[in-house]
């Protein structure tokens, strides 16, 4: 088995959780989430990856998705890939920081 085949076989059975701290901010929507979408679309993330967004903003999952969508659509990905990425892999939780 080649290294590439082994890599893709491991991705199929692996689990990964990513936490994006400051998920409602500019860096997250302009750089972090589009980069994660690129990895997802290129099948470089496990099939059952979960991307947890965390910030102080009081948002629902859908509100975060609406904020992210325009920035994700600037890329070359088809709308169905973007929707699958958001609906199946991206969730949001609000909370407080140390000083709050």
């Amino acid at each position: 088995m080649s290294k590439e085949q082994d890599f893709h076989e491991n991705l199929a059975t692996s689990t990964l959780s990513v936490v994006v701290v400051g998920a409602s901010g500019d860096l997250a929507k302009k750089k972090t989430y589009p980069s994660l979408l690129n990895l997802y679309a290129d099948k470089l993330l496990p099939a059952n990856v979960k991307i947890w967004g965390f910030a102080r903003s009081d948002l629902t999952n859908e509100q975060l998705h609406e904020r992210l969508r325009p920035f994700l659509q600037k890329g070359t990905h088809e709308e169905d890939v973007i929707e699958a990425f958001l609906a199946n892999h991206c969730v949001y939780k609000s909370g407080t920081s140390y000083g709050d």
Side-chain angles (χ1 to χ4, degrees):
M1 179 180 293
S2 74
K3 287 184 181 180
E4 186 173 336
Q5 288 173 321
D6 189 42
F7 173 77
H8 287 287
E9 188 174 298
N10 284 337
L11 278 181
T13 59
S14 297
T15 301
L16 175 67
S17 293
V18 176
V19 178
V20 179
V21 179
S24 62
D26 279 352
L27 181 63
K29 65 185 175 188
K30 292 178 181 177
K31 298 292 183 181
T32 306
Y33 279 97
S35 296
L36 289 166
L37 173 61
N38 289 339
L39 292 171
Y40 169 77
D42 290 342
K43 300 190 183 330
L44 295 173
L45 293 175
N48 44 352
V49 64
K50 190 59 75 176
I51 301 167
W52 289 90
F54 179 82
R56 292 183 299 168
S57 300
D58 188 22
L59 302 173
T60 64
N61 288 341
E62 187 54 40
Q63 288 170 321
L64 177 71
H65 296 174
E66 290 302 317
R67 286 185 179 197
L68 296 175
R69 194 171 280 110
F71 296 93
L72 300 178
Q73 290 170 332
K74 289 182 179 182
T76 60
H77 304 293
E78 298 291 328
E79 193 66 31
D80 61 328
V81 173
I82 294 170
E83 291 308 315
F85 173 73
L86 291 172
N88 300 325
H89 303 286
C90 298
V91 294
Y92 181 78
K93 175 71 177 148
S94 65
T96 59
S97 69
Y98 290 110
D100 293 342

